[in-house]
Amino acid sequence: MADPTGRGPRVVVSSARSIAQVLSPEELHSPFVFTRGSEINRDEFVAGLVAMGYRREHLVEHRAEIAVRGGIVDVWPAQNDEPVRLDFFGDEIERLTVFDIATQRSTHDLDEAVIAPAREWMPGNATRRRAEELSTSEPWASATFDRLATGQLFDGMEGWMGLFVNEARTLLDEVDDARVVVVEPDRVRARLGELLAKSVN
């Protein structure tokens, strides 16, 4: 539920895993929010999406992909069920639509679109330097640390995030004066125990 003051959500519904997950040590990217008729620099927009973990492809067919053809930018927001198309005229978004990935044709117009980051962790320069150090000091995982050091993105990389966190913070650390309601506390307690056991092992 959104906060009418615009300061953030008033209600957050989360799983046990999400509550226990250590947050990224990197600065978070704010989502792109734009409307039909608004003006943004197309090249900066595309570069921003890549920085948020989106993959450039010839055609958009999956979530977190982006394709650029002249003044048309197709993107499938990581949090959406449908991809969106931005038709640019200069720096103005002349048309904003949903499109069908099978036919690549626009299906209906949108007034607004929100594009959230594609990954919860995008390693920054400090993380890459730390990964380079670990690739030498921890040879048992040097292949993974080498990938992180060179800025590669891959499935499962978030499982290594805890090694790069100086101060472990969770979702509950990000809210002030929160009232926490736990549904089925026995199941949540058991699930948190399982997650803790896995992290120790």
Side-chain angles (χ1 to χ4, degrees):
M1 181 184 298
D3 182 344
T5 65
R7 291 176 297 181
R10 295 179 59 188
V11 176
V12 176
V13 180
S14 178
S15 65
R17 176 186 286 274
S18 296
I19 288 292
Q21 174 67 50
V22 174
L23 299 180
S24 169
E26 319 296 342
E27 183 177 350
L28 298 178
H29 289 272
S30 298
F32 282 107
V33 181
F34 43 80
T35 57
R36 185 173 63 249
S38 59
E39 292 191 4
I40 59 174
N41 183 286
R42 191 205 67 170
D43 293 339
E44 291 179 1
F45 169 62
V46 171
L49 288 176
V50 172
M52 287 163 51
Y54 284 78
R55 300 181 304 276
R56 289 196 66 162
E57 301 288 350
H58 177 64
L59 292 176
V60 167
E61 297 177 308
H62 305 93
R63 282 185 177 87
E65 291 182 348
I66 178 175
V68 181
R69 300 186 308 281
I72 296 176
V73 177
D74 291 341
V75 57
W76 194 331
Q79 84 284 2
N80 280 14
D81 292 328
E82 297 177 307
V84 298
R85 172 167 292 154
L86 296 83
D87 284 293
F88 281 87
F89 183 75
D91 286 339
E92 179 185 348
I93 302 174
E94 189 174 39
R95 191 179 182 204
L96 185 60
T97 61
V98 169
F99 70 93
D100 186 325
I101 61 170
T103 64
Q104 294 291 311
R105 293 182 177 179
S106 296
T107 58
H108 59 273
D109 290 329
L110 296 173
D111 293 322
E112 182 182 80
V114 178
I115 304 179
R119 307 193 74 97
E120 65 178 288
W121 185 34
M122 295 291 295
N125 291 333
T127 294
R128 294 183 187 183
R129 288 193 296 270
R130 174 62 176 155
E132 189 172 359
E133 295 171 358
L134 288 172
S135 68
T136 301
S137 63
E138 304 292 341
W140 57 276
S142 60
T144 298
F145 293 136
D146 284 341
R147 296 176 74 182
L148 292 171
T150 56
Q152 296 182 46
L153 304 178
F154 52 93
D155 292 339
M157 59 182 285
E158 288 80 8
W160 299 83
M161 191 166 61
L163 296 176
F164 300 89
V165 174
N166 294 324
E167 179 185 359
R169 296 179 60 82
T170 67
L171 178 62
L172 292 178
D173 293 309
E174 295 299 307
V175 292
D176 296 322
D177 301 322
R179 177 177 296 175
V180 179
V181 178
V182 180
V183 180
E184 298 188 67
D186 289 340
R187 291 186 61 186
V188 171
R189 185 181 298 108
R191 179 58 176 149
L192 290 174
E194 292 173 2
L195 294 170
L196 179 60
K198 287 181 180 179
S199 66
V200 172
N201 295 332

